[in-house]
Coordinates of all heavy atoms in Angstrom, one line a residue:
M1 N 8.8 -3.5 9.0 CA 7.5 -4.0 8.7 C 7.7 -5.5 8.1 O 7.0 -6.3 8.5 CB 6.8 -3.1 7.7 CG 5.4 -3.6 7.3 SD 4.4 -2.6 6.2 CE 5.5 -1.3 5.6
T2 N 8.6 -5.6 7.2 CA 8.7 -7.0 6.6 C 9.3 -8.0 7.5 O 8.9 -9.1 7.5 CB 9.6 -6.9 5.3 OG1 10.9 -6.4 5.6 CG2 8.9 -6.1 4.2
N3 N 10.2 -7.6 8.4 CA 10.8 -8.5 9.4 C 9.8 -9.0 10.3 O 9.8 -10.2 10.6 CB 12.0 -7.8 10.1 CG 13.2 -7.6 9.3 OD1 13.4 -8.4 8.3 ND2 14.0 -6.7 9.6
K4 N 8.9 -8.2 10.8 CA 7.8 -8.6 11.7 C 6.9 -9.6 10.9 O 6.5 -10.6 11.5 CB 7.0 -7.4 12.2 CG 6.1 -7.8 13.2 CD 5.5 -6.5 13.9 CE 4.7 -7.0 15.1 NZ 4.4 -5.9 16.0
Y5 N 6.6 -9.3 9.7 CA 5.7 -10.2 8.9 C 6.4 -11.6 8.7 O 5.8 -12.6 8.9 CB 5.4 -9.6 7.5 CG 4.4 -10.4 6.8 CD1 3.0 -10.2 7.1 CD2 4.7 -11.3 5.8 CE1 2.1 -11.0 6.4 CE2 3.8 -12.1 5.2 CZ 2.4 -11.9 5.4 OH 1.5 -12.6 4.8
K6 N 7.7 -11.6 8.4 CA 8.4 -12.8 8.2 C 8.5 -13.7 9.5 O 8.4 -14.9 9.5 CB 9.8 -12.6 7.7 CG 9.9 -12.2 6.3 CD 11.3 -12.2 5.7 CE 12.2 -11.1 6.3 NZ 13.5 -11.0 5.7
E7 N 8.5 -13.0 10.7 CA 8.5 -13.7 12.0 C 7.2 -14.5 12.2 O 7.3 -15.5 12.8 CB 8.7 -12.7 13.1 CG 10.1 -12.1 13.2 CD 10.1 -11.0 14.3 OE1 9.2 -10.9 15.1 OE2 11.1 -10.3 14.3
N8 N 6.1 -13.9 11.7 CA 4.8 -14.5 11.9 C 4.3 -15.4 10.8 O 3.3 -16.1 10.9 CB 3.8 -13.5 12.2 CG 4.1 -12.7 13.5 OD1 4.6 -13.2 14.5 ND2 3.9 -11.4 13.4
H9 N 5.0 -15.5 9.7 CA 4.6 -16.2 8.5 C 5.8 -16.9 7.9 O 6.9 -16.4 7.9 CB 3.9 -15.3 7.5 CG 2.7 -14.5 8.0 ND1 2.9 -13.4 8.7 CD2 1.4 -14.8 8.0 CE1 1.7 -13.0 9.1 NE2 0.8 -13.8 8.6
D10 N 5.5 -18.0 7.3 CA 6.6 -18.8 6.6 C 6.7 -18.4 5.2 O 6.3 -19.2 4.3 CB 6.3 -20.3 6.8 CG 7.4 -21.1 6.3 OD1 8.6 -20.6 6.2 OD2 7.2 -22.3 5.9
V11 N 7.1 -17.2 4.9 CA 7.2 -16.7 3.5 C 8.5 -16.0 3.3 O 9.2 -15.5 4.3 CB 6.1 -15.7 3.2 CG1 4.7 -16.4 3.2 CG2 6.0 -14.5 4.1
K12 N 8.9 -15.9 2.1 CA 10.1 -15.1 1.8 C 9.6 -13.7 1.3 O 8.7 -13.6 0.5 CB 10.9 -15.7 0.6 CG 12.1 -14.9 0.2 CD 12.9 -15.6 -0.9 CE 14.1 -14.7 -1.3 NZ 14.7 -15.2 -2.4
V13 N 10.2 -12.6 1.8 CA 9.9 -11.3 1.5 C 11.0 -10.6 0.8 O 12.1 -10.6 1.3 CB 9.4 -10.5 2.7 CG1 9.1 -9.0 2.3 CG2 8.3 -11.1 3.4
S14 N 10.8 -10.1 -0.4 CA 11.8 -9.4 -1.2 C 11.4 -7.9 -1.1 O 10.3 -7.5 -1.4 CB 11.9 -9.8 -2.6 OG 12.2 -11.1 -2.7
V15 N 12.4 -7.1 -0.7 CA 12.2 -5.6 -0.6 C 12.9 -4.9 -1.8 O 14.1 -5.2 -2.0 CB 12.7 -5.0 0.7 CG1 12.5 -3.5 0.7 CG2 12.0 -5.7 1.9
V16 N 12.1 -4.1 -2.5 CA 12.7 -3.4 -3.7 C 12.4 -1.9 -3.4 O 11.2 -1.6 -3.3 CB 12.1 -3.8 -5.0 CG1 12.6 -3.0 -6.1 CG2 12.4 -5.3 -5.3
Q17 N 13.4 -1.1 -3.3 CA 13.2 0.3 -3.1 C 13.5 1.0 -4.4 O 14.5 0.9 -5.0 CB 14.2 0.8 -2.1 CG 13.9 2.3 -1.7 CD 14.7 2.7 -0.5 OE1 15.3 1.9 0.2 NE2 14.8 4.0 -0.3
L18 N 12.5 1.7 -4.9 CA 12.6 2.5 -6.1 C 12.8 4.0 -5.9 O 12.5 4.5 -4.8 CB 11.2 2.4 -6.9 CG 10.8 1.0 -7.3 CD1 9.4 1.0 -7.9 CD2 11.8 0.4 -8.3
D19 N 13.5 4.6 -6.8 CA 13.7 6.0 -6.8 C 12.3 6.7 -6.8 O 11.5 6.3 -7.5 CB 14.5 6.4 -8.0 CG 14.9 7.9 -7.9 OD1 14.0 8.7 -8.3 OD2 16.0 8.2 -7.5
P20 N 12.1 7.7 -5.9 CA 10.8 8.4 -5.8 C 10.4 8.9 -7.2 O 9.2 8.9 -7.5 CB 11.1 9.5 -4.9 CG 12.2 9.0 -4.0 CD 13.1 8.2 -4.9
S21 N 11.3 9.3 -8.1 CA 10.9 9.8 -9.4 C 10.4 8.7 -10.3 O 9.8 9.0 -11.3 CB 12.0 10.6 -10.0 OG 13.1 9.7 -10.3
E22 N 10.6 7.4 -10.0 CA 10.2 6.3 -10.8 C 9.1 5.5 -10.3 O 8.5 4.7 -11.1 CB 11.4 5.4 -11.0 CG 12.6 6.0 -11.7 CD 13.8 5.1 -11.6 OE1 13.8 4.0 -11.1 OE2 14.9 5.5 -12.2
I23 N 8.7 5.6 -9.0 CA 7.8 4.7 -8.4 C 6.4 4.8 -9.0 O 5.7 3.8 -9.3 CB 7.7 4.9 -6.9 CG1 6.9 3.7 -6.3 CG2 7.2 6.2 -6.5 CD1 7.0 3.6 -4.8
K24 N 5.9 6.0 -9.3 CA 4.6 6.2 -9.9 C 4.5 5.5 -11.2 O 3.5 4.7 -11.5 CB 4.2 7.7 -10.0 CG 2.7 7.9 -10.4 CD 2.4 9.3 -10.7 CE 2.4 10.1 -9.4 NZ 1.9 11.5 -9.5
A25 N 5.4 5.7 -12.1 CA 5.4 5.0 -13.4 C 5.5 3.5 -13.3 O 4.8 2.8 -14.0 CB 6.5 5.6 -14.3
E26 N 6.4 3.0 -12.4 CA 6.6 1.6 -12.2 C 5.3 0.9 -11.7 O 4.9 -0.1 -12.2 CB 7.7 1.3 -11.2 CG 9.0 1.6 -11.7 CD 9.5 0.6 -12.8 OE1 9.1 -0.5 -12.8 OE2 10.2 1.1 -13.7
I27 N 4.6 1.6 -10.8 CA 3.3 1.0 -10.3 C 2.2 1.0 -11.3 O 1.5 0.0 -11.5 CB 2.8 1.7 -9.0 CG1 3.8 1.5 -7.9 CG2 1.4 1.3 -8.6 CD1 3.6 2.3 -6.6
L28 N 2.1 2.1 -12.1 CA 1.1 2.2 -13.1 C 1.4 1.1 -14.2 O 0.5 0.5 -14.7 CB 1.1 3.6 -13.7 CG 0.5 4.7 -12.8 CD1 0.7 6.0 -13.4 CD2 -1.0 4.4 -12.6
L29 N 2.6 1.0 -14.6 CA 3.0 0.0 -15.6 C 2.7 -1.4 -15.1 O 2.2 -2.3 -15.8 CB 4.4 0.1 -16.1 CG 4.7 1.4 -16.9 CD1 6.2 1.5 -17.1 CD2 4.0 1.3 -18.3
S30 N 3.1 -1.7 -13.8 CA 2.8 -3.0 -13.3 C 1.3 -3.3 -13.2 O 0.9 -4.4 -13.4 CB 3.4 -3.1 -11.9 OG 4.8 -3.0 -11.9
A31 N 0.5 -2.3 -12.9 CA -0.9 -2.5 -12.8 C -1.5 -2.9 -14.2 O -2.4 -3.7 -14.3 CB -1.6 -1.3 -12.2
Q32 N -1.0 -2.2 -15.2 CA -1.4 -2.5 -16.6 C -1.1 -3.9 -17.0 O -1.8 -4.6 -17.7 CB -0.8 -1.5 -17.6 CG -1.4 -0.2 -17.5 CD -0.7 0.8 -18.4 OE1 0.3 0.5 -19.1 NE2 -1.3 2.0 -18.5
D33 N 0.1 -4.4 -16.5 CA 0.6 -5.7 -16.9 C 0.1 -6.8 -16.0 O 0.4 -8.0 -16.2 CB 2.1 -5.7 -16.9 CG 2.7 -4.8 -18.0 OD1 2.0 -4.5 -19.0 OD2 3.9 -4.4 -17.9
G34 N -0.6 -6.4 -14.9 CA -1.1 -7.4 -14.0 C 0.0 -8.0 -13.1 O -0.1 -9.1 -12.5
G35 N 1.1 -7.2 -12.9 CA 2.2 -7.7 -12.1 C 2.5 -6.9 -10.8 O 3.6 -6.6 -10.5
L36 N 1.4 -6.4 -10.1 CA 1.6 -5.6 -8.9 C 2.2 -6.5 -7.8 O 1.9 -7.7 -7.7 CB 0.3 -5.1 -8.4 CG -0.2 -3.9 -9.2 CD1 -1.7 -3.6 -8.8 CD2 0.6 -2.7 -9.0
P37 N 3.0 -5.8 -7.0 CA 3.5 -6.6 -5.8 C 2.4 -6.9 -4.8 O 1.3 -6.3 -4.9 CB 4.5 -5.6 -5.2 CG 4.1 -4.3 -5.7 CD 3.4 -4.5 -7.0
D38 N 2.7 -7.8 -3.9 CA 1.7 -8.1 -2.8 C 1.5 -6.9 -1.8 O 0.5 -6.7 -1.3 CB 2.1 -9.3 -2.0 CG 2.1 -10.5 -2.9 OD1 1.2 -10.6 -3.8 OD2 2.9 -11.4 -2.8
L39 N 2.6 -6.1 -1.7 CA 2.5 -5.0 -0.8 C 3.4 -3.9 -1.4 O 4.4 -4.1 -1.9 CB 3.2 -5.4 0.6 CG 3.4 -4.3 1.6 CD1 2.0 -3.7 2.1 CD2 4.3 -4.7 2.7
V40 N 2.8 -2.7 -1.3 CA 3.6 -1.5 -1.8 C 3.3 -0.3 -0.8 O 2.2 -0.2 -0.4 CB 3.2 -1.2 -3.2 CG1 1.8 -0.8 -3.4 CG2 4.1 -0.1 -3.8
V41 N 4.3 0.4 -0.5 CA 4.2 1.6 0.3 C 4.4 2.8 -0.6 O 5.5 2.9 -1.2 CB 5.2 1.6 1.5 CG1 5.1 2.9 2.3 CG2 5.0 0.4 2.4
I42 N 3.4 3.6 -0.7 CA 3.4 4.7 -1.7 C 3.1 6.0 -0.9 O 2.5 6.0 0.1 CB 2.5 4.5 -2.8 CG1 1.0 4.4 -2.3 CG2 2.9 3.3 -3.7 CD1 0.0 4.3 -3.4
P43 N 3.5 7.1 -1.5 CA 3.1 8.4 -0.9 C 1.6 8.6 -1.0 O 1.0 8.1 -2.0 CB 3.8 9.4 -1.8 CG 4.9 8.7 -2.6 CD 4.4 7.3 -2.7
S44 N 1.1 9.3 0.0 CA -0.4 9.4 0.0 C -0.9 10.3 -1.2 O -2.1 10.1 -1.6 CB -0.8 10.1 1.3 OG -0.2 11.4 1.4
D45 N -0.1 11.1 -1.8 CA -0.6 11.9 -3.0 C -0.8 11.0 -4.2 O -1.4 11.5 -5.2 CB 0.3 13.0 -3.3 CG 1.7 12.7 -3.6 OD1 2.2 11.6 -3.1 OD2 2.4 13.4 -4.3
F46 N -0.5 9.7 -4.2 CA -0.8 8.8 -5.3 C -2.2 8.2 -5.2 O -2.7 7.6 -6.1 CB 0.1 7.6 -5.2 CG 1.5 7.9 -5.7 CD1 2.0 9.2 -5.8 CD2 2.4 6.8 -6.0 CE1 3.3 9.4 -6.2 CE2 3.7 7.0 -6.4 CZ 4.2 8.3 -6.5
L47 N -2.9 8.5 -4.0 CA -4.3 7.9 -3.8 C -5.3 8.3 -4.9 O -6.2 7.6 -5.2 CB -4.8 8.2 -2.5 CG -4.1 7.5 -1.3 CD1 -4.8 7.9 0.0 CD2 -4.2 6.0 -1.5
G48 N -5.1 9.5 -5.5 CA -6.0 9.9 -6.5 C -5.9 9.0 -7.7 O -6.8 9.0 -8.6
L49 N -4.9 8.2 -7.8 CA -4.7 7.2 -9.0 C -5.1 5.8 -8.5 O -4.7 4.8 -9.2 CB -3.3 7.3 -9.5 CG -2.8 8.6 -10.0 CD1 -1.3 8.6 -10.2 CD2 -3.5 9.0 -11.2
H50 N -5.9 5.7 -7.4 CA -6.1 4.3 -6.9 C -6.8 3.4 -7.9 O -6.5 2.2 -7.9 CB -6.9 4.4 -5.6 CG -8.4 4.9 -5.8 ND1 -8.7 6.2 -5.9 CD2 -9.5 4.1 -5.9 CE1 -10.0 6.3 -6.1 NE2 -10.5 5.0 -6.0
Q51 N -7.6 3.9 -8.8 CA -8.2 3.0 -9.8 C -7.2 2.5 -10.8 O -7.1 1.4 -11.2 CB -9.4 3.7 -10.4 CG -10.6 3.8 -9.5 CD -11.7 4.6 -10.1 OE1 -11.5 5.5 -10.8 NE2 -12.9 4.1 -9.7
M52 N -6.4 3.5 -11.3 CA -5.4 3.1 -12.3 C -4.3 2.2 -11.7 O -3.7 1.4 -12.4 CB -4.7 4.4 -12.8 CG -5.6 5.2 -13.7 SD -4.9 6.8 -14.2 CE -3.6 6.2 -15.3
M53 N -4.0 2.4 -10.4 CA -3.0 1.5 -9.7 C -3.6 0.2 -9.2 O -2.9 -0.6 -8.6 CB -2.4 2.3 -8.6 CG -1.5 3.4 -9.0 SD -0.7 4.2 -7.6 CE 0.4 5.3 -8.4
D54 N -4.9 0.0 -9.4 CA -5.6 -1.2 -8.9 C -5.4 -1.4 -7.4 O -5.3 -2.5 -7.0 CB -5.1 -2.4 -9.7 CG -6.0 -3.6 -9.7 OD1 -7.3 -3.3 -9.5 OD2 -5.6 -4.7 -9.8
L55 N -5.5 -0.3 -6.7 CA -5.5 -0.5 -5.2 C -6.8 -1.0 -4.7 O -7.8 -0.7 -5.3 CB -5.1 0.9 -4.6 CG -3.8 1.5 -5.0 CD1 -3.7 2.9 -4.2 CD2 -2.6 0.6 -4.7
S56 N -6.8 -1.7 -3.6 CA -8.0 -2.2 -3.0 C -8.2 -1.5 -1.7 O -7.3 -1.0 -1.0 CB -7.8 -3.7 -2.7 OG -7.5 -4.4 -3.8
A57 N -9.5 -1.4 -1.3 CA -9.8 -0.9 0.0 C -9.3 -1.8 1.1 O -9.5 -3.0 1.0 CB -11.3 -0.7 0.2
I58 N -8.7 -1.3 2.1 CA -8.2 -2.2 3.2 C -9.2 -2.1 4.4 O -9.6 -1.1 4.8 CB -6.8 -1.6 3.7 CG1 -5.8 -1.7 2.5 CG2 -6.3 -2.4 4.9 CD1 -4.5 -1.1 2.8
P59 N -9.5 -3.3 4.9 CA -10.5 -3.3 6.0 C -10.0 -2.5 7.2 O -8.8 -2.6 7.5 CB -10.5 -4.8 6.4 CG -10.1 -5.5 5.1 CD -9.1 -4.6 4.5
R60 N -10.8 -1.7 7.7 CA -10.5 -0.8 8.8 C -9.8 -1.4 10.0 O -8.9 -0.9 10.6 CB -11.8 -0.1 9.2 CG -11.7 0.8 10.4 CD -13.0 1.5 10.7 NE -12.8 2.9 10.5 CZ -13.6 3.8 10.1 NH1 -14.8 3.4 9.8 NH2 -13.3 5.0 10.0
D61 N -10.3 -2.6 10.3 CA -9.8 -3.3 11.5 C -8.4 -3.9 11.4 O -7.8 -4.3 12.3 CB -10.7 -4.3 12.0 CG -11.0 -5.4 11.0 OD1 -10.7 -5.2 9.8 OD2 -11.4 -6.5 11.5
W62 N -7.8 -3.9 10.2 CA -6.5 -4.4 10.0 C -5.4 -3.6 10.7 O -4.4 -4.1 11.1 CB -6.2 -4.5 8.5 CG -6.8 -5.7 7.9 CD1 -7.8 -6.5 8.3 CD2 -6.4 -6.3 6.6 NE1 -8.1 -7.5 7.4 CE2 -7.2 -7.4 6.4 CE3 -5.4 -5.9 5.7 CZ2 -7.1 -8.1 5.2 CZ3 -5.3 -6.7 4.5 CH2 -6.2 -7.8 4.3
Y63 N -5.5 -2.3 10.7 CA -4.4 -1.5 11.2 C -4.8 -0.1 11.7 O -4.0 0.6 12.3 CB -3.4 -1.3 10.1 CG -3.9 -0.4 9.0 CD1 -3.8 1.0 9.0 CD2 -4.5 -1.0 7.9 CE1 -4.2 1.7 7.9 CE2 -4.9 -0.2 6.8 CZ -4.8 1.1 6.9 OH -5.3 1.9 5.8
Q64 N -6.0 0.3 11.6 CA -6.4 1.7 11.9 C -6.0 2.1 13.3 O -5.5 3.2 13.4 CB -7.9 1.9 11.7 CG -8.3 3.3 11.9 CD -9.7 3.6 11.8 OE1 -10.5 2.7 11.5 NE2 -10.1 4.8 11.9
E65 N -6.2 1.3 14.3 CA -5.9 1.7 15.6 C -4.4 1.9 15.9 O -4.0 2.5 16.8 CB -6.5 0.7 16.6 CG -8.0 0.8 16.8 CD -8.8 0.2 15.6 OE1 -8.3 -0.7 14.9 OE2 -9.9 0.7 15.3
K66 N -3.6 1.3 15.0 CA -2.2 1.4 15.2 C -1.6 2.6 14.6 O -0.4 2.9 14.7 CB -1.5 0.1 14.6 CG -1.9 -1.1 15.3 CD -1.3 -2.4 14.7 CE -1.8 -3.6 15.3 NZ -1.4 -4.8 14.7
L67 N -2.4 3.4 13.8 CA -1.9 4.5 13.1 C -2.4 5.8 13.8 O -3.5 5.8 14.3 CB -2.3 4.5 11.6 CG -1.9 3.4 10.8 CD1 -2.5 3.5 9.4 CD2 -0.4 3.4 10.7
S68 N -1.6 6.8 13.8 CA -2.0 8.1 14.4 C -3.1 8.7 13.5 O -3.2 8.3 12.3 CB -0.8 9.1 14.5 OG -0.5 9.5 13.2
S69 N -3.9 9.6 14.1 CA -5.0 10.2 13.3 C -4.4 11.0 12.1 O -5.0 11.0 11.0 CB -5.8 11.1 14.2 OG -5.0 12.1 14.7
M70 N -3.2 11.5 12.2 CA -2.6 12.3 11.1 C -2.3 11.3 10.0 O -2.6 11.6 8.8 CB -1.3 13.0 11.5 CG -0.7 13.8 10.4 SD 0.8 14.7 10.9 CE 1.9 13.3 10.8
V71 N -1.7 10.2 10.3 CA -1.4 9.2 9.2 C -2.7 8.6 8.6 O -2.8 8.5 7.4 CB -0.5 8.0 9.8 CG1 -0.4 6.9 8.8 CG2 0.8 8.6 10.2
R72 N -3.7 8.3 9.4 CA -5.0 7.8 8.9 C -5.6 8.8 7.9 O -6.1 8.3 6.9 CB -5.9 7.5 10.0 CG -5.6 6.2 10.8 CD -6.8 5.8 11.7 NE -7.3 6.9 12.5 CZ -6.9 7.0 13.8 NH1 -6.1 6.2 14.4 NH2 -7.4 8.0 14.5
S73 N -5.5 10.0 8.2 CA -6.1 11.0 7.3 C -5.4 11.1 5.9 O -6.0 11.5 4.9 CB -6.1 12.4 7.9 OG -4.8 12.9 7.9
T74 N -4.1 10.6 5.8 CA -3.4 10.7 4.5 C -3.7 9.4 3.7 O -3.3 9.4 2.5 CB -1.9 10.8 4.7 OG1 -1.4 9.7 5.3 CG2 -1.6 12.1 5.5
V75 N -4.2 8.4 4.2 CA -4.5 7.1 3.4 C -6.0 6.9 3.2 O -6.4 5.8 2.8 CB -3.8 5.9 4.1 CG1 -2.3 6.0 4.0 CG2 -4.3 5.6 5.4
K76 N -6.8 7.9 3.5 CA -8.2 7.7 3.4 C -8.7 8.6 2.2 O -8.4 9.7 2.0 CB -8.9 8.2 4.6 CG -10.4 7.9 4.7 CD -10.9 8.2 6.1 CE -12.4 7.8 6.2 NZ -12.9 8.1 7.5
L77 N -9.5 7.9 1.3 CA -10.0 8.6 0.2 C -11.4 8.0 -0.1 O -11.6 6.8 0.0 CB -9.2 8.3 -1.1 CG -9.7 8.9 -2.4 CD1 -9.6 10.4 -2.4 CD2 -8.8 8.3 -3.5
Q78 N -12.4 8.9 -0.3 CA -13.8 8.4 -0.5 C -14.3 7.5 0.6 O -15.0 6.6 0.4 CB -13.9 7.7 -1.8 CG -13.6 8.6 -3.0 CD -13.5 7.9 -4.3 OE1 -13.4 6.6 -4.4 NE2 -13.5 8.6 -5.4
G79 N -13.9 7.9 1.9 CA -14.3 7.1 3.0 C -13.7 5.8 3.3 O -14.1 5.0 4.1
K80 N -12.7 5.4 2.5 CA -12.0 4.1 2.6 C -10.5 4.3 2.7 O -10.0 5.3 2.2 CB -12.3 3.2 1.3 CG -13.8 2.9 1.2 CD -14.0 2.1 0.0 CE -15.5 1.8 -0.2 NZ -15.8 1.1 -1.5
Y81 N -9.9 3.3 3.2 CA -8.4 3.2 3.3 C -7.9 2.3 2.1 O -8.5 1.3 1.8 CB -8.0 2.6 4.6 CG -8.3 3.5 5.8 CD1 -9.6 3.4 6.4 CD2 -7.5 4.5 6.2 CE1 -9.9 4.3 7.4 CE2 -7.8 5.4 7.2 CZ -9.1 5.3 7.8 OH -9.4 6.1 8.8
W82 N -6.9 2.8 1.5 CA -6.5 2.1 0.2 C -5.1 1.5 0.3 O -4.2 2.0 1.0 CB -6.5 3.1 -0.9 CG -7.9 3.6 -1.2 CD1 -8.5 4.7 -0.6 CD2 -8.9 3.0 -2.0 NE1 -9.8 4.8 -1.0 CE2 -10.1 3.8 -1.9 CE3 -8.9 1.9 -2.8 CZ2 -11.2 3.5 -2.5 CZ3 -10.1 1.6 -3.5 CH2 -11.2 2.4 -3.4
G83 N -4.9 0.5 -0.5 CA -3.6 -0.2 -0.6 C -3.7 -1.4 -1.5 O -4.7 -1.7 -2.1
C84 N -2.6 -2.1 -1.7 CA -2.6 -3.3 -2.5 C -2.9 -4.5 -1.6 O -2.3 -4.7 -0.5 CB -1.2 -3.6 -3.1 SG -0.8 -2.4 -4.4
L85 N -3.8 -5.4 -2.0 CA -4.2 -6.6 -1.3 C -3.9 -7.8 -2.2 O -4.1 -7.8 -3.3 CB -5.6 -6.6 -0.9 CG -6.0 -5.5 0.1 CD1 -7.5 -5.6 0.4 CD2 -5.3 -5.7 1.4

C-alpha cells in the first residue's frame, strides 16, 4: 500500500509495525496527545472506539469498489466507513 502511494506522490512514508497487544493503547494515547499518524491500519473490532481514536469517516468513493463486500462490512459502523484522515 505504501509503495504504491509513494509512486504517485512525492512524500516519504515511514512504516511502523506495532505488536497487536500494544496497538490499541498506542492509538488511544496518540489520539489524546494529538499525535495520530496520517494513516493507520487497525483491526475492525477497534471501530467501536472510533470517537476515542479520533477516526474520521472516509468518503465512500475513495476505495469502496476496490474492497470485497466482506471487507467493506468490517469497516462500516453507523452507516459510515472509518479511518484516519
Side-chain angles (χ1 to χ4, degrees):
M1 180 177 10
T2 58
N3 288 334
K4 188 167 186 167
Y5 188 82
K6 287 191 292 188
E7 287 175 13
N8 297 322
H9 301 83
D10 187 24
V11 295
K12 181 179 177 187
V13 177
S14 298
V15 176
V16 176
Q17 185 170 348
L18 298 172
D19 185 279
S21 65
E22 298 173 359
I23 191 168
K24 187 182 291 186
E26 288 291 330
I27 293 171
L28 289 170
L29 290 172
S30 294
Q32 288 176 353
D33 295 338
L36 283 170
D38 294 324
L39 172 69
V40 62
V41 178
I42 58 172
S44 60
D45 58 333
F46 288 14
L47 288 181
L49 301 171
H50 70 279
Q51 290 176 323
M52 292 175 67
M53 290 184 174
D54 199 26
L55 300 180
S56 303
I58 298 174
R60 170 178 244 149
D61 61 339
W62 279 19
Y63 66 89
Q64 183 181 3
E65 286 73 31
K66 297 177 184 175
L67 299 177
S68 71
S69 59
M70 183 180 79
V71 171
R72 283 195 308 264
S73 70
T74 67
V75 296
K76 190 172 184 179
L77 178 69
Q78 299 171 343
K80 297 179 182 173
Y81 294 89
W82 296 90
C84 292
L85 294 176

